[in-house]
Amino acid sequence: MQKKLVDCFDVAGLYLKYESDKFTRKIYPKIHSAQKLDNRIEYVFTLLNGMDPREVRKKEYAFFQIFGRTLKIESDGIKKYVLTIYAESLAKEIKWNWSDIVGTCQHFKLPIYCGKNENNEHVAYDMVKNPHLLIAGETGSGKSTQVRSVLTTLIKTTTSSHLHLYLADLKRSEFHLFRRVEHVKAVCTKVSELKRVLAYLKKETECRGDLLEKYEVTHVDDLPEHERVPYIVLCIDEVALLKKEKDAMEIIEDISAIGRALGMFLILSMQRPDAKVLDGKLKVNLTVRMGFRCADLTNSRIVGTPGSEKIESSQGGRFLLKLEKLTEVQAPHLDDVNAKKELEPYKRDDVVPIEESIPLCPNNHTVSNCGRSPLTDEEEPPTPQFGLLEDE
């Protein structure tokens, strides 16, 4: 077993040379152990004094070339490394199962469940700490199913008083399942409807900014209990359709820039990456990317997941996750039928038109009702603390 690791050191150039008049010798990192465990092989080795640990990270590709894709390299950051080679590869398909994933998600404030990695481990993260998500991939790659899975998981892990969802589906094909869900404040199928929502959310950013300034805190989670506001997630399917809507894109970019502190987050998806849309501060602020199968290297680089162009068409639901580093993940499959069953307990009986639920000019939107549902005609507006926000 040790010989294979030595071959890897040799290919990667991870050695020091000792030269004398008679011969030249390669001195490799010291291998302390190599053992077979239940479903993996584990190597422990240390670098020689004078070897740069950054070289291991640079030459990490050599480990994958020699040992395959199912490995993990862990380090103390100085000399010691643990290389684990797993026997199992990524599952070809996994089912979205609430009882299976709830334990992974329950510790996060705003959990985004991704799927399973090549070590058969659940992969999830907290959107509050890693704001804004881009999901991209060709038709049939699993992108739409993943959006459905992400939203369903958010609904099941977070109460409607702590999470408000605003959904935009300009193709009118994806978000009908989420109508009447108590967390969902709007499902937009027209650009005019989305613009109405964006105007409302722009006012919301101003309102929440006033709250942070009033209480001299840097995040809405630090506000006093009586001023706490729900998280807001704006999810737009096929955001590339908005590239000609300059005003709309500016608001989306603003949310990407300041939304983290305000508890406002983006989930954007698109089939074909568009460099004009993913340009400037929007691309920079989309800190997490899910790159499903892309047409070519250019498209995968636009998404920020180079290598996703190599995903085969037979690998539905496979994607590269860019979080701390690129990780290959198998997304869970959640079909329409099961999604309906999971969402049914959260459905309301009534359907409120966007014109009623989202005021175009929210004159009642004051610091004291920030983040709460718009007032109905029967309710009296609360006493303003700073006066009304003026319409722009």
Side-chain angles (χ1 to χ4, degrees):
M1 289 195 297
Q2 291 192 14
K3 183 180 182 303
K4 195 170 184 180
L5 182 55
V6 172
D7 290 341
C8 185
F9 292 150
D10 191 60
V11 170
L14 295 173
Y15 54 78
L16 297 178
K17 279 188 177 181
Y18 174 79
E19 297 182 355
S20 67
D21 294 337
K22 296 182 179 180
F23 63 87
T24 298
R25 179 185 174 192
K26 295 178 181 179
I27 306 177
Y28 299 102
K30 183 177 180 179
I31 302 174
H32 297 279
S33 64
Q35 56 181 333
K36 287 185 177 181
L37 301 174
D38 291 340
N39 66 334
R40 64 191 186 277
I41 298 174
E42 185 177 275
Y43 296 93
V44 178
F45 66 91
T46 55
L47 300 182
L48 303 173
N49 289 336
M51 296 185 73
D52 188 350
R54 290 176 297 183
E55 288 299 309
V56 178
R57 186 60 59 190
K58 290 180 182 178
K59 301 297 179 62
E60 193 175 77
Y61 64 85
F63 290 87
F64 287 99
Q65 289 173 346
I66 297 295
F67 290 103
R69 301 173 70 90
T70 57
L71 63 80
K72 178 169 62 176
I73 303 176
E74 298 175 299
S75 169
D76 63 359
I78 303 175
K79 293 178 63 175
K80 184 178 179 180
Y81 286 83
V82 177
L83 171 64
T84 306
I85 314 298
Y86 293 90
E88 297 181 1
S89 59
L90 270 171
K92 292 183 179 180
E93 181 179 303
I94 61 173
K95 297 291 186 180
W96 187 97
N97 187 306
W98 176 240
S99 61
D100 191 32
I101 68 178
V102 61
T104 303
C105 298
Q106 63 185 359
H107 303 298
F108 297 135
K109 292 181 178 179
L110 207 57
I112 301 295
Y113 180 71
C114 306
K116 286 188 175 182
N117 61 17
E118 54 200 8
N119 304 328
N120 202 35
E121 300 167 332
H122 292 291
V123 179
Y125 69 91
D126 194 343
M127 182 171 260
V128 174
K129 294 183 178 180
N130 299 278
H132 314 312
L133 167 64
L134 172 66
I135 303 176
E138 293 185 323
T139 301
S141 63
K143 171 185 65 70
S144 297
T145 303
Q146 181 70 337
V147 173
R148 184 188 306 143
S149 166
V150 166
L151 292 176
T152 302
T153 303
L154 280 172
I155 289 167
K156 290 187 71 67
T157 53
T158 314
T159 64
S160 59
S161 61
H162 289 88
L163 172 64
H164 291 177
L165 293 171
Y166 296 85
L167 311 180
D169 176 15
L170 303 181
K171 297 193 287 75
R172 302 189 181 192
S173 60
E174 299 300 332
F175 293 153
H176 58 277
L177 289 170
F178 299 97
R179 291 188 183 277
R180 297 190 296 108
V181 170
E182 57 191 6
H183 302 66
V184 177
K185 302 305 173 183
V187 177
C188 308
T189 57
K190 301 177 182 177
V191 172
S192 59
E193 294 174 341
L194 177 56
K195 285 184 175 180
R196 191 184 193 98
V197 166
L198 290 173
Y200 179 76
L201 294 181
K202 183 177 181 180
K203 289 290 185 182
E204 189 72 29
T205 63
E206 297 169 2
C207 173
R208 294 187 177 205
D210 288 344
L211 276 175
L212 297 186
E213 185 175 355
K214 175 186 176 182
Y215 291 101
E216 298 181 352
V217 294
T218 58
H219 196 281
V220 292
D221 285 351
D222 300 322
L223 290 170
E225 188 67 32
H226 70 282
E227 291 283 25
R228 287 290 176 87
V229 293
Y231 294 127
I232 287 177
V233 174
L234 171 64
C235 180
I236 305 176
D237 187 46
E238 284 307 315
V239 68
L241 296 176
L242 295 173
K243 64 182 178 181
K244 295 182 180 179
E245 304 293 339
K246 184 178 179 181
D247 293 343
M249 289 305 303
E250 285 181 354
I251 296 175
I252 293 170
E253 287 182 355
D254 287 345
I255 294 174
S256 77
I258 64 176
R260 178 177 184 175
L262 304 177
M264 302 173 67
F265 306 97
L266 298 171
I267 298 176
L268 306 179
S269 73
M270 59 176 63
Q271 286 186 12
R272 184 177 179 84
D274 192 307
K276 293 181 179 179
V277 175
L278 296 178
D279 191 20
K281 63 182 180 182
L282 179 58
K283 183 173 183 177
V284 171
N285 292 325
L286 293 169
T287 59
V288 185
R289 320 279 177 82
M290 294 182 183
F292 288 79
R293 185 179 68 252
C294 289
D296 50 44
L297 180 59
T298 300
N299 284 342
S300 65
R301 282 177 173 169
I302 293 174
V303 177
T305 56
S308 54
E309 79 283 354
K310 297 178 182 178
I311 297 174
E312 298 177 3
S313 58
S314 60
Q315 297 174 311
R318 190 70 53 87
F319 68 96
L320 294 184
L321 172 68
K322 182 182 180 183
L323 192 53
E324 295 177 354
K325 62 178 183 178
L326 278 179
T327 305
E328 191 171 10
V329 178
Q330 180 67 34
H333 181 70
L334 178 62
D335 58 31
D336 286 6
V337 175
N338 286 310
K340 287 179 181 178
K341 291 179 181 178
E342 296 292 342
L343 295 171
E344 189 59 36
Y346 307 94
K347 292 290 184 80
R348 303 184 305 264
D349 293 331
D350 60 321
V351 177
V352 182
I354 289 179
E355 295 78 20
E356 297 179 18
S357 63
I358 308 297
L360 188 59
C361 297
N363 291 324
N364 288 327
H365 200 67
T366 66
V367 172
S368 60
N369 74 341
C370 177
R372 298 167 178 82
S373 300
L375 300 174
T376 63
D377 293 338
E378 291 76 18
E379 295 176 313
E380 294 184 4
T383 303
Q385 297 182 29
F386 296 114
L388 301 179
L389 292 174
E390 296 295 333
D391 293 336
E392 295 185 348

